[in-house]
Amino acid sequence: MTDREEYAPDLLTLVDDEGQEHEFEIIDTLEHGEEHYIALVASYDDPEEQLQDDGELVILKSVFDGDEEFLEAIEDEAEFDEIAAIFMERLQDDYEFTGGDEESL
């Protein structure tokens, strides 16, 4: 593995309900109890798009259906608040968070 590959961002492509693909950078993962969570930020090839992005932190829950893994939104508000607080504490040295209902970097 080259140095460039070693330090390249860990990218993940997700498909929304309308079939559009969106690329995200995985910035952290978390095992909490029996559950697995992932923190993502949008990733762009165009630097101009990156500047226009609000930097929203996306937190998803990993669920399994048989042998297949899926990522889904955390529906329970208390669970989301708990997991978001853990991620924010873990990431505070690398990112600056702004307030609001949805956390932004």
Side-chain angles (χ1 to χ4, degrees), residues 17-81:
D17 293 337
E18 298 170 3
Q20 294 182 349
E21 292 185 351
H22 303 274
E23 191 168 79
F24 292 89
E25 179 180 351
I26 300 170
I27 59 171
D28 199 4
T29 60
L30 170 68
E31 295 285 335
H32 188 68
E34 298 289 318
E35 305 295 343
H36 181 80
Y37 302 91
I38 187 169
L40 311 164
V41 292
S43 177
Y44 302 97
D45 290 331
D46 181 356
E48 199 60 38
E49 287 181 67
Q50 187 78 34
L51 291 173
Q52 294 175 8
D53 183 62
D54 63 3
E56 183 177 339
L57 179 65
V58 177
I59 300 172
L60 299 173
K61 183 179 192 175
S62 175
V63 294
F64 285 89
D65 184 10
D67 290 337
E68 290 191 61
E69 181 181 19
F70 297 93
L71 296 173
E72 64 180 31
I74 302 170
E75 300 294 331
D76 181 86
E77 188 174 338
E79 177 185 9
F80 178 83
D81 290 345

